[in-house]
Amino acid sequence: MPLDPTRVVDRLGELRALTGDENGAQRVAWTDTWARARAWLADWLSDLPLEVERDPAGNDWYTLRGASDRAVLIGGHLDSVPNGGWLDGSLNVVAGAEVLRRIAEEGTPPVTVRLVDWADEEGARFGRSLFGSSAAGGSMADPDELRKLVDRDGVSLPDAIGAFGVDLDRALDARSQLETAAAYLELHIEQGPVLESMNLPLGAVLGTFGVERWRITWTGQAAHAGSTPMDQRRDALAGAAKLALAIRDVARETGAGAVCTSGNVTCRPGIVTSVVETAEQLLDQRHLDAGKLASMLARAQELSRGFAQEERVEVAWDRIWNIEPILFDEALIELADEAIAEVAGTSHRLPSGPLHDAAEVCRSGVPTVMVFVQSLRGLSHTKLEDTKPEHLELSVAALDRLAAKTIARVARGS
Ligand SMILES: [Zn+2]
């Protein structure tokens, strides 16, 4: 049977009915509903000649053996946030299953093809995202931190995953799964407004943004709002306010998708009758280019020192968290562009703001690419998350073409 994209949309509807309620998808990892979704997938694929395996990190693998052990991987995640959407994660798994069926029915492929359903991408229950893929990719460096995590009901992470046969001490053994991987492909909803605003169904993803998160503390002098003349104030909020506006220009001048956000300013004493003595400001900067990200940070710091001088206040910067940009494979981006252009006429290249399992696989050294399909109104992690059925069908066709091109490329050994 040839590829049947409408079957993917039907199947996604079936999964939605099986594992959702009036508030949305309820496939939270390490719960019975999640297990039901995974059993449903296994059942759907049971008539194909696949090797089925759950690895030590709880990832489910469906392997179609090819003439060569070198493997092309297609991955996604069936888990969702509570009250989540019907497509985030599951689109990639269900579309990947349809592609695997198409390939299996054509006989033995030249290289091995594997579908992976990653365990706990969302981290909704314990606050730790990308559990299964970070174990397989080898970046899970914090098992002792993970051991301490408990959910809202007081259940510990080791107990919750133990119920699914996963032992934290052995989770990193999942690394062996990527030893034969030659390429990793992931289709996902965009979860943002870019493709919709360009009126395009699909885009090839360049990589995931690097992020710099900082706490900036401005220190001035509390003084009476009535008796302190304007020219004698040391107003900490004035520095924070100038920076909050200036970072918009920093992002605009940097361009190429640059974003800067001042997400909060907390003022003390925080009363109507006093000049602000301390203003604690949060800053988030993101870019796909590590050099540009570094220069945006340097520029914001330089501006802040100028504002501090103008306002006669002190400024101090403390890093909260950062991650480097993760760039996908250029040759695979090229193939994704071709596949998208073939099914949709036009392709567009864009970065990903959110992290995905693909970032962990890419970081571990496996050539990786993602395809985004338009999200209506840019919404996700809500029951309002949606994509037009015709766009979903195009996305399945694009993933299938991309898989075929990647298999041919890996088979040629290039
Ligand atoms: Zn996702």
Side-chain angles (χ1 to χ4, degrees):
M1 257 189 299
L3 186 82
D4 185 354
T6 57
R7 177 163 48 197
V8 172
V9 181
D10 293 346
R11 285 284 169 165
L12 284 165
E14 210 178 293
L15 181 65
R16 178 186 213 166
L18 184 73
T19 58
D21 59 24
E22 68 281 7
N23 298 314
Q26 306 298 343
R27 296 184 298 274
V28 176
W30 323 109
T31 65
D32 290 345
T33 307
W34 179 56
R36 202 179 311 137
R38 299 187 115 192
W40 168 88
L41 176 70
D43 184 59
W44 180 28
L45 289 169
S46 63
D47 62 326
L48 297 182
L50 305 175
E51 292 166 24
V52 182
E53 178 189 358
R54 177 159 298 170
D55 76 18
N59 305 307
D60 281 352
W61 295 85
Y62 297 88
T63 302
L64 176 66
R65 285 273 160 224
S68 154
D69 280 345
R70 298 195 73 207
V72 171
L73 315 183
I74 302 172
H77 60 95
L78 283 179
D79 74 298
S80 74
V81 296
N83 305 327
W86 67 305
L87 300 170
D88 181 354
S90 56
L91 168 62
N92 357 342
V93 177
V94 177
E98 177 64 21
V99 172
L100 200 57
R101 169 183 302 278
R102 193 271 298 159
I103 297 168
E105 285 173 355
E106 288 174 3
T108 303
V111 301
T112 296
V113 186
R114 309 183 74 196
L115 174 68
V116 54
D117 169 24
W118 298 111
D120 202 357
E121 191 271 350
E122 300 286 2
R125 186 166 164 195
F126 295 100
R128 173 57 157 80
S129 308
L130 308 173
F131 178 90
S133 56
S134 69
S139 77
M140 183 189 273
D142 52 351
D144 288 330
E145 290 299 309
L146 292 177
R147 226 178 298 281
K148 293 182 215 150
L149 297 177
V150 286
D151 72 5
R152 243 186 300 172
D153 303 319
V155 179
S156 74
L157 181 139
D159 284 350
I161 68 177
F164 287 79
V166 178
D167 173 355
L168 202 49
D169 292 320
R170 288 195 51 238
L172 275 164
D173 293 351
R175 270 179 298 190
S176 63
Q177 296 292 342
L178 296 184
E179 278 166 11
T180 54
Y184 176 79
L185 314 176
E186 186 171 330
L187 165 67
H188 207 280
I189 53 168
E190 183 198 339
Q191 301 176 280
V194 174
L195 291 172
E196 187 181 35
S197 70
M198 299 180 75
N199 210 7
L200 292 174
L202 299 165
V205 184
L206 294 163
T208 55
F209 275 155
V211 184
E212 287 283 356
R213 280 187 199 149
W214 291 74
R215 180 181 301 106
I216 305 156
T217 308
W218 301 84
T219 310
Q221 177 60 58
H224 196 284
S227 60
T228 317
M230 297 309 289
D231 61 354
Q232 289 179 41
R233 297 180 176 204
R234 297 178 56 226
D235 183 354
L237 177 59
K242 284 183 170 176
L243 185 64
L245 296 178
I247 56 166
R248 304 192 300 183
D249 294 327
V250 172
R252 246 190 310 269
E253 284 156 15
T254 306
V259 281
C260 296
T261 306
S262 175
N264 190 45
V265 180
T266 306
C267 295
R268 275 181 293 272
I271 54 171
V272 74
T273 51
S274 176
V275 172
V276 172
E277 179 157 288
T278 61
E280 198 178 274
Q281 181 169 31
L282 300 180
L283 177 67
D284 176 298
Q285 295 183 299
R286 302 185 189 215
H287 206 285
L288 192 61
D289 181 289
K292 290 216 163 82
L293 181 60
S295 64
M296 283 208 299
L297 174 61
R299 180 73 184 130
Q301 291 181 325
E302 180 194 329
L303 285 166
S304 76
R305 286 189 289 269
F307 298 146
Q309 229 163 27
E310 287 167 26
E311 300 299 330
R312 298 182 301 123
V313 298
E314 311 284 312
V315 64
W317 287 65
D318 297 293
R319 184 182 258 143
I320 299 169
W321 181 77
N322 74 326
I323 187 168
E324 75 279 18
I326 295 166
L327 299 176
F328 293 156
D329 183 75
E330 275 180 38
L332 290 180
I333 293 170
E334 204 63 54
L335 294 186
D337 249 349
E338 279 178 25
I340 291 168
E342 283 168 23
V343 304
T346 317
S347 182
H348 173 68
R349 296 182 175 199
L350 72 168
S352 172
L355 285 169
H356 290 285
D357 292 310
E360 290 290 354
V361 180
C362 185
R363 278 220 272 193
S364 79
V366 178
T368 294
V369 75
M370 293 184 75
V371 169
F372 276 169
V373 61
Q374 188 190 108
S375 291
L376 290 174
R377 292 155 291 161
L379 295 176
S380 70
H381 286 192
T382 153
K383 67 175 178 179
L384 299 175
E385 170 188 297
D386 210 0
T387 295
K388 289 178 192 153
E390 61 268 32
H391 289 172
L392 290 174
E393 289 171 22
L394 281 178
S395 76
V396 180
L399 178 67
D400 186 58
R401 296 253 179 152
L402 173 59
K405 289 171 190 289
T406 306
I407 289 167
R409 181 183 162 82
V410 172
R412 281 198 313 271
S414 58

